[in-house]
Amino acid sequence: RAHGLDVALLNRNGHSALHKAAIKGQWPVCEWLVRTVGLGAAHMRPDADGNTPARMARCEGHSELAEWLDAEAHVAANAAGQLA
């Protein structure tokens, strides 16, 4: 939250900074948000239109990033106790 910026916020559509970085194919930013900032399961959930960051990346042709995001979402959901 340096300089008054909170990258963990979700907008009214349920988009996080992770959704925005994913749709632009910004893998280094996505990795920073997940591994350094610690965005987790709540930020990998579908938005109001049902799009996860991984789906948004995939729709824009960033399939390798989408696969990585899917794997990270699985890890985050497991850590949050959301997987059986």
Side-chain angles (χ1 to χ4, degrees), residues 60-81:
E60 292 298 318
H62 310 294
S63 34
E64 288 182 24
L65 174 57
E67 288 177 27
W68 182 82
L69 286 165
D70 279 336
E72 291 296 319
H74 183 79
V75 169
N78 192 37

Side-chain angles (χ1 to χ4, degrees), residues 34-47:
V34 172
R35 296 202 173 148
T36 303
V37 175
L39 297 189
H43 297 89
M44 296 183 189
R45 289 190 184 118
D47 63 14

